Structure formats: structure tokens, C-alpha cells
Amino acid sequence: MRISVGKGSCGIAAGAAEVYDILREALGDTVTVTGCIGMCYLEPIVNVDGDTYVKVDKNAAGEIIKLVNNAENNAKANLIKQEDIALLNAQHRIALENCGVIEPENIDDYIKRDGYTAAKKCITELTPDLIIEQVKISNLGGRGGAGFPTWFKWNAAKNSLTADKKYIICNADEGDPGAFMDRAVIEGDPHAVIEGMLIGAYAIGASEGIVYVRAEYPLAIKRLDIALAQAREKGFLGENLFGSEFCFDIRIKAGAGAFVCGEETALIASLEGERGMPRLKPPFPAQKGYQGSPSNINNVETFANIPWILRNGGAAFSALGTEHSKGTKVFALTGKIAKGGLVEVPMGKTIRDVVYGVGGGIKDGKQFKAVQMGGPSGGCIPYELIDTEIDYKTLAATGAIMGSGGMVVMDESTCMVDMARFFLDFTCKESCGKCTHCRVGNKRLLEILERICAGDGVEGDIERLSELSNEIKDGSLCALGQTAPNPVLTTIRYFKNEYEDHISRKKCTARQCKPLLTFVIEPDKCIGCTLCIKKCPSAAISGELKTAHVIDQEKCIKCGECATVCKKNAITS
């Protein structure tokens, strides 16, 4: 019997550590650990010989112990529902094929699922050119955001003869708000990333690999460190791999968490001990990268796809997806989604397929309003475009981007002006400050948005936002500045009426911008129950029992607590 507890970061946050300890104490070594299977909304998750139990607390853990011991129990109360199984089965998992299935700290679990067979085949049977050819056939685009052909980067680094040593670097500096794909892959299947890097290193002739991962991911770093030690012990890293002359090893670099270090030249600067700031290209990293040597940089998801591609052939991967975007893509579903977590679907699926077919739709039965794709560098896609296919070309046409795979879902309660302000606030804080357009221009954008949300918007602000956004896009050095105005431009493009409401009518139709709200008690609905008086933190409400109450607008701090407790919906804003 095998019992596994999902102990990714999401599972631990939901209480999986306590559940694991309870089960382990009672059932011993039969209890193991897995990473996140993607259904974060059901954590903690426990699997007992193929049966999945969800939202397992300490009481449910006790029922599972009774079940295993063949005692009378009520464990079935926590059995996963068929509708949730259907959402999982609607996916096509390649990068996530082992996540939530294997024990990430046990290399033998990975080996049992054909782990390192692709690396062995590449090093003992294939030439670097044949490996790159398979990656070319797969048409795998970099999953870090740009979708640039992976084979092209590998080939450029392979053909670079400017130094004696080459490096292969894994970019695990995942910084988008709402994105956690890379973290989950490393926590759940670190050996897939190691094997992908190993294959890439052999293809380009690199002798050293570096995983640049943000220090905010301690569990990912811990499991990756364990996996590296196990791979060395098994002879998959180190000297004369698989009996060949090829030598390769990997080390971890914990970054300080700067969003700009997701840009490859800024990442290299950070690796070298400098402040993470981008530089002009060319030269490209393939010619002059880390320590001035040819270097190749791909992100976690890109490397996690490589073993599958080399095991199954590039054609099998390219058979999935669209003309312009092949294979699958991992997305982190967050926001107002009913069933948030990690999903992996073939390119070409629509936003509707992901939000409703895999994510279960919108929370609390509310209406889908928009989805922010590509993080702070992306754009808001409205309901009218919900049937847009997910590939690099079609998403770019909407004004959004694929990005690393964050999907922040919004319902009718979301203010799009405030959403643009939120993302601009993030990019302003994360700007390295090297170029004026990004450092100063985005700050000016933010100031205008803050003014509009505060009720101080003036005629001409929309035009100022658009003009300044385009200047920032044209004048910024790296992709952070070039894409930072995307949330502003797309919200103006699709939700201009909300900007006009804020500026001209001084109204926030989503009721999120507090300075634009005025709470009023409708006397014909108020029954004088006094609940709002008791709840009001500023003593702004007055009235006698069973008589209509009144709000003193000068005292009102617009917290909305009164409207929350009113059972008759007598308080409007």
C-alpha cells in the first residue's frame, strides 16, 4: 500500500504538514510525499492506493487511518468528486506529468517513470546536432514568455567558439503576481528540470549548469538541492557521464527576488555579483553571457518539456497545438476562479476552455469580466474575446501576451482602472531604474492612475495615459519597460467606459475605488435593526430602533461594513 500526501507549498499552507505527521505516526513508511498535482483548491490532498481524498484535515486523516486499518470509518466523505476528476482529465500533462504523482525527494520514483532514459540516449547514441534537430522538429518555444524557438538558442550556443567554457542556465526567477508554475514544477518534479538541463548541456557543449531561483522559494531550493545530490550519487551528474567523456554538473544560485532578473542579461549580471540590470543586445548570451562565455538560458517549464520530447520524438510534441504555437502550456489560474491551481493544456485551447472547462468557471456564480494574461507585462482580455485561442500570435493580437503562464481571472466586482493601477504599482517598484522611460515614465503613469482612482481624474487623462504608454514602450531598454504599459493600454482599449465613469461621473461602477463611493441608506428598505450602527467603526450612522437610519457623509470612512451586514440590502453605494 502506498499513501501520499501533497506537500507542495500550497498543500503545506492548507495544513498538509500536520496531516502528513498524523498519518506518518500512525502508518509509518507507507506514507510518502508528493508535490502539487495542480488542484490547489482541494488541498490538502491524500492519495491512498489510487483513491484521492481532498480537503483532508486532522479529523479526516483519522478516518483515513481507520480505513487503512480496515476499521469502520467515514473516509469517503472526503473522496474527490467526479467533476474534479473530469477537470484533471481535461488536461494534457507533459511538463506536469510527474507532479503530484512521484515523490520528489526520491530519485528512484523518477527513474521508474523513465527518468534519465532520454539523457542516457542522448549522450550515448545521439550527436548534439541530432538532439537539436529533434527540439527543432518539436517547435518548442521558450516558456518564459517570448516563445522564442528553443532549438535556435541551443544551436547558437553550440556554434559559438568564443570561449573554452560554456554554461547552461535555468531561469527559475518567477516573479509575476499570481504565477507559481516554475515553483510547483521544481517542488514536484525537480529531476525533470535537471534532466532537461543535462540534455541541453550536452547539445551545446556546456560543462556547468546553474539554476537561478528566487530565495522566496525555500521548499523548491531544498528539493532541488536533494535532487542534485541524488543525481550525482547515481552518476547522472559529474564526471564521464554514462561512460562517455562528457562531464557536467549543476549548482543553485538563490536570487534576491528582483522581477527584472527574469530578463536574461539582468539575470547574468546578478549571477556575476552585479546589480540585476539589463544590457543592450547584441552580443547575445549565446556569444557572450555568464563570465563572458557562451551561455544558454531557458526557464523551468522549457527544460521540463525536454525529456518528454527526446523520449517521444519532436513530432509527437509538435502534433499538439496550433500552427504558430506547438505543444502544451502550463497556466496558474488565480483570482476569481472557482477552482484555482495549475493546469496544462494543449496550445490552441480557448480562454473559455481553460476558465470554464478546466477551472470550473467563476466563483460564487458571478459573471466573467476579464482575464489578465502575462502578468504585469501582459494585458486584460475581456469577456467578448473569451473564445480567443491560446497561442502566441492570437494573444498578441489582443494586446496581451502569453507570458510565463499566469492567468488572473476577474469578475464584475473588479475595477479595471484599479487593476491597471495595481500592475503599474508593481512594475514601478520592480524597475531597475536604468532607463528613463521605464524609471520615470511608468511612475508618471502610476500617478495618473492613482489620481483617477482617487476621484481626481481630469479630461484628457485617457489621452495622456495612451500617449505616455506608447512612448514608454518605444523607449525602454528591456521587456519590463516595453511591456509595463500593456495593462493600461488594454484596459483603455476594452474598458474605456470605466475610465470615463471615473473621470467624468466620479463613479466606480465596480464599487472598488473607495474615494468614489457614497454609501446611502434607502429609507423605504431600512427596518431600523441597528446592525449597521453597531458595525460602523466611525460612528457615522444614527437612528432609533425600527426607524430608518442615516449615514453622516463627513464621518463615513467608506469601509463598506454597513452594507455587508445589512440583511435588507438597504445600503447602496
Side-chain angles (χ1 to χ4, degrees):
M1 174 172 286
R2 175 166 174 163
I3 304 164
S4 61
V5 180
K7 282 185 71 178
S9 290
C10 54
I12 292 171
E18 181 184 21
V19 170
Y20 173 79
D21 290 341
I22 292 170
L23 294 175
R24 184 82 177 184
E25 183 178 354
L27 303 174
D29 292 342
T30 57
V31 182
T32 62
V33 168
T34 65
C36 174
I37 199 169
M39 297 184 292
C40 305
Y41 66 100
L42 294 178
E43 296 285 2
I45 297 174
V46 178
N47 190 281
V48 182
D49 271 357
D51 291 329
T52 301
Y53 298 85
V54 300
K55 297 184 179 180
V56 178
D57 57 15
K58 60 182 180 181
N59 294 326
E63 297 300 316
I64 290 173
I65 292 169
K66 294 177 187 177
L67 171 71
V68 174
N69 291 328
N70 296 314
E72 185 176 347
N73 64 84
N74 191 34
K76 65 179 182 180
N78 291 83
L79 266 175
I80 189 171
K81 296 177 180 178
Q82 286 299 316
E83 64 189 67
D84 293 307
I85 295 174
L87 295 178
L88 186 63
N89 291 338
Q91 302 178 43
H92 192 117
R93 295 162 71 91
I94 293 178
L96 300 180
E97 63 175 342
N98 294 324
C99 291
V101 178
I102 67 169
E103 186 177 358
E105 297 180 18
N106 184 349
I107 192 172
D108 291 328
D109 250 19
Y110 182 69
I111 291 172
K112 287 175 185 175
R113 291 175 64 86
D114 295 325
Y116 290 104
T117 58
K120 181 179 181 181
K121 176 183 177 181
C122 288
I123 294 171
T124 61
E125 300 178 24
L126 302 180
T127 65
D129 285 333
L130 288 174
I131 295 169
I132 292 174
E133 180 62 23
Q134 283 302 309
V135 178
K136 182 178 182 179
I137 292 170
S138 75
N139 226 327
L140 172 65
R143 295 306 195 240
F148 193 79
T150 301
W151 77 270
F152 191 92
K153 293 179 73 172
W154 286 20
N155 198 53
K158 179 184 78 72
N159 292 333
S160 182
L161 304 174
T162 57
D164 295 331
K165 187 170 184 177
K166 296 179 182 179
Y167 296 89
I168 193 160
I169 301 168
C170 176
N171 181 355
D173 190 60
E174 182 177 51
D176 288 10
F180 48 93
M181 299 77 61
D182 292 352
R183 187 202 72 209
V185 171
I186 294 177
E187 289 179 357
D189 192 13
H191 287 286
V193 182
I194 294 170
E195 186 176 10
M197 292 181 69
L198 176 56
I199 293 168
Y202 180 71
I204 72 171
S207 58
E208 184 176 340
I210 307 169
V211 180
Y212 185 93
V213 56
R214 52 182 45 222
E216 291 98 326
Y217 286 176
L219 183 60
I221 292 173
K222 174 193 170 187
R223 288 185 177 164
L224 183 61
D225 196 40
I226 292 171
L228 289 172
Q230 292 176 342
R232 293 186 193 104
E233 186 178 345
K234 290 283 188 179
F236 300 143
L237 293 175
E239 304 293 318
N240 305 115
L241 302 180
F242 302 106
S244 71
E245 295 181 357
F246 178 56
C247 305
F248 176 71
D249 206 345
I250 298 173
R251 62 182 172 89
I252 300 170
K253 166 65 177 178
F259 179 63
V260 73
C261 286
E263 197 278 335
E264 58 184 9
T265 61
L267 185 155
I268 289 170
S270 180
L271 279 177
E272 294 174 339
E274 303 294 331
R275 183 177 176 182
M277 301 176 81
R279 61 165 173 79
L280 286 170
K281 295 181 285 188
F284 294 94
Q287 286 78 45
K288 186 178 180 181
Y290 178 59
Q291 301 293 356
S293 298
S295 305
N296 182 87
I297 303 177
N298 292 114
N299 87 320
V300 169
E301 187 184 340
T302 307
F303 282 122
N305 278 297
I306 293 297
W308 191 96
I309 290 171
L310 269 298
R311 284 199 313 268
N312 296 278
F317 190 83
S318 64
L320 301 167
T322 68
E323 179 184 356
H324 303 287
S325 303
K326 301 296 185 182
T328 61
K329 181 73 188 78
V330 179
F331 291 99
L333 283 175
T334 59
K336 302 301 178 67
I337 192 79
K339 299 185 176 182
L342 278 185
V343 303
E344 184 174 4
V345 296
M347 296 282 198
K349 290 289 186 179
T350 66
I351 295 172
R352 186 190 300 274
D353 292 332
V354 175
V355 172
Y356 287 93
V358 184
I362 310 302
K363 277 183 180 179
D364 304 322
K366 292 189 176 182
Q367 293 297 312
F368 176 94
K369 184 173 186 177
V371 60
Q372 172 78 9
M373 292 195 64
S377 302
C380 290
I381 300 175
Y383 175 79
E384 302 84 71
L385 300 179
I386 194 173
D387 292 311
T388 299
E389 284 190 348
I390 296 172
D391 77 359
Y392 290 97
K393 188 173 181 180
T394 55
L395 287 179
T398 69
I401 60 173
M402 182 82 70
S404 58
M407 293 183 73
V408 182
V409 179
M410 306 168 217
D411 64 17
E412 71 249 33
S413 67
T414 304
C415 171
M416 304 311 294
V417 183
D418 185 60
M419 182 59 62
R421 182 208 57 77
F422 169 81
F423 284 115
L424 253 295
D425 180 66
F426 177 86
T427 48
C428 281
K429 290 173 179 174
E430 293 295 334
S431 172
C432 74
K434 186 172 184 177
C435 55
T436 306
H437 282 81
C438 179
R439 182 183 71 250
V440 180
N442 281 319
K443 181 64 176 175
R444 298 291 87 82
L445 279 182
L446 178 60
E447 288 170 351
I448 297 172
L449 290 169
E450 288 177 334
R451 186 158 47 74
I452 293 173
C453 290
D456 297 323
V458 297
E459 292 300 323
D461 275 347
I462 297 174
E463 292 73 20
R464 291 184 190 92
L465 287 170
S466 298
E467 181 180 0
L468 184 53
S469 292
N470 287 311
E471 289 176 355
I472 293 168
K473 289 173 71 72
D474 292 339
S476 294
L477 174 62
C478 80
L480 186 150
Q482 292 164 6
T483 59
N486 282 348
V488 179
L489 291 172
T490 52
T491 51
I492 290 175
R493 179 177 176 180
Y494 299 117
F495 301 97
K496 188 176 181 180
N497 63 304
E498 293 197 25
Y499 282 86
E500 292 170 341
D501 285 342
H502 280 66
I503 295 168
S504 301
R505 297 179 56 232
K506 306 301 179 187
K507 286 286 184 181
C508 175
T509 52
R511 300 180 180 180
Q512 295 299 312
C513 298
K514 288 185 179 180
L516 297 176
L517 300 181
T518 301
F519 288 93
V520 177
I521 299 176
E522 298 183 21
D524 57 329
K525 291 184 179 180
C526 179
I527 61 173
C529 67
T530 74
L531 284 176
C532 58
I533 293 178
K534 295 173 183 177
K535 192 69 174 178
C536 180
S538 62
I541 305 177
S542 60
E544 300 296 327
L545 184 65
K546 296 185 178 181
T547 63
H549 299 343
V550 178
I551 298 176
D552 185 335
Q553 297 300 329
E554 291 186 1
K555 292 182 180 180
C556 179
I557 61 173
K558 304 180 181 183
C559 64
E561 291 295 326
C562 56
T564 302
V565 297
C566 182
K567 296 180 179 180
K568 296 296 182 179
N569 296 320
I571 303 175
T572 60
S573 59

